[in-house]
Amino acid sequence: MSTQTPMAATAALAEAATAAVRAPSAHNTQPWRWRVGGDALDLYADRSRQLAVADPEGRMLTISCGTALHHARVALAAAGWAATVGRLPDPADPDHLARITVADRTDVTPAAMRLLQTVSVRHTDRRPVVETALPDGVFEQLRQAATAEHTGLHPLRPDDLAELAAASARANEIGITDPDQRAELAQWIGGERPDGTGIPDSALPARPPQSAVPASDWGHPGTLTVGPGHDLRATYAILFGRSDTTMDWLRAGEALSALWLTATERGVAVLPLSTVVEIVATRERVRRILSRLDYPYLVLRLGLAAPDKPAPARTPRLPAEQVIERTQ
Ligand SMILES: Cc1cc2nc3c(=O)[nH]c(=O)nc-3n(C[C@H](O)[C@H](O)[C@H](O)COP(=O)(O)O)c2cc1C
């Protein structure tokens, strides 16, 4: 830390962790914990909020923590700090996912400031997208955002959609008929939870939207008005990479955040579909859509958000002081 006081660095890191509470996570579990002190901010997985039945390996947990890591990086860039990120810095502690340290100040670009503003408006929209394809070049921008985070984004061809639809329907069926899955879903989906986690009814469609590829079916209708429309012009895409490790999932989460913020700036709604990649058999089917050398991390529906529809109410978050610990 050559030019700044340690206190300024610690305050900036604490603010970055606070901004990161808005990151998206599977079922809004927010499975992260931050520790801040000196010139370092440490990110840990919080296994108490892992989906033990749906996500026993912690894939979705790690992707979710990756989105929080990227959000923190965005906040530091907007505050003019050059951040260095060490991923999985402690081989003896696999839950220690990242350590961010800050050194010198950097110039703040308008793009960095805009990205931080986008953090507070980004949300999941499960309603149908408009029946107009993504404008030229937009998919390529989203792919570049993912690639910059070392993760691929593969667009599905129309021929692949039937296979994705069949695999998604099968995954939903397996999930919804398994009593353990249902019990776990009931902990997170629908209703109101005072603790600031889970998906409230106001973010869940009142009826399944019409779509070629079935969206997540958690067996719980919400109160979000669906309206007309179909996903016919949506683009489905797979976040993927060359290996299938915790490091890859963490990077995939950073890529998801990066592309989601970029998409939000372009008026594109992003809807992750995780059930189909959580179940081993259906994940294999998704893998076959990719080249056999690659591994799928998450399926995404991308489409133009209806401009006239107000965003659903913001999903809740845990209080920042519950997930951020100050060590000094
Ligand atoms: C790794 C991951 C997987 C997700 N999977 C799904 C999914 O299968 N279906 C769905 O409707 N939303 C999914 N979501 C969206 C979350 O439910 C959403 O981010 C969370 O409820 C917080 O709401 P927000 O994105 O509006 O802030 C996923 C998000 C992440 C980060």
Side-chain angles (χ1 to χ4, degrees), residues 56-235:
E57 292 175 282
R59 291 165 175 271
M60 295 305 134
L61 170 142
T62 311
I63 294 175
S64 301
C65 288
T67 71
L69 174 58
H70 183 263
H71 271 47
R73 288 170 47 205
V74 165
L76 287 168
W81 287 90
T84 303
V85 182
R87 293 171 183 80
L88 298 171
D90 182 357
D93 182 0
D95 286 348
H96 189 181
L97 295 178
R99 161 164 281 215
I100 306 180
T101 47
V102 287
D104 295 322
R105 308 288 313 208
T106 54
D107 291 341
V108 178
T109 64
M113 289 175 70
R114 231 182 9 251
L115 216 53
L116 179 60
Q117 286 164 5
T118 307
V119 160
S120 55
V121 292
R122 182 218 54 81
H123 61 275
T124 305
D125 197 337
R126 301 177 177 86
R127 295 171 294 190
V129 291
V130 301
E131 296 186 25
T132 311
L134 294 183
D136 283 351
V138 168
F139 183 85
E140 200 42 48
Q141 290 170 352
L142 304 187
R143 189 188 350 230
Q144 279 169 15
T147 311
E149 302 297 334
H150 304 268
T151 304
L153 185 67
H154 174 80
L156 264 60
R157 291 169 301 141
D159 288 357
D160 297 324
L161 280 185
E163 178 56 11
L164 177 65
S168 285
R170 178 73 190 125
N172 281 344
E173 190 184 308
I174 294 171
I176 213 75
T177 52
D178 175 4
D180 293 337
Q181 290 256 22
R182 288 183 70 98
E184 186 171 77
L185 283 173
Q187 283 176 36
W188 301 100
I189 307 294
E192 301 303 326
R193 266 160 222 84
D195 67 350
T197 61
I199 308 181
D201 284 338
S202 57
L204 295 172
R207 61 173 173 79
Q210 291 189 58
S211 66
V213 178
S216 308
D217 178 3
W218 295 318
H220 183 100
T223 57
L224 184 63
T225 307
V226 170
H230 197 284
D231 68 350
L232 279 175
R233 304 309 300 272
T235 298

Side-chain angles (χ1 to χ4, degrees), residues 22-29 59-61 63-64 67 122-126 198-199 203-204 216 218 256 260 271-275 278 298 313-317:
R22 287 304 320 163
S25 58
H27 293 7
N28 202 18
T29 46
R59 291 165 175 271
M60 295 305 134
L61 170 142
I63 294 175
S64 301
T67 71
R122 182 218 54 81
H123 61 275
T124 305
D125 197 337
R126 301 177 177 86
I199 308 181
L204 295 172
S216 308
W218 295 318
L256 175 62
W260 204 332
L271 177 60
L273 301 180
S274 48
T275 314
E278 283 166 354
L298 198 58
R314 275 152 66 100
T315 46
R317 290 295 186 273

Side-chain angles (χ1 to χ4, degrees), residues 3 19-20 38 49-51 71 79 105 189 273 293 309 312 315:
T3 55
R49 286 194 296 281
Q50 179 168 355
L51 300 168
H71 271 47
R105 308 288 313 208
I189 307 294
L273 301 180
L293 293 175
K309 287 186 195 158
T315 46

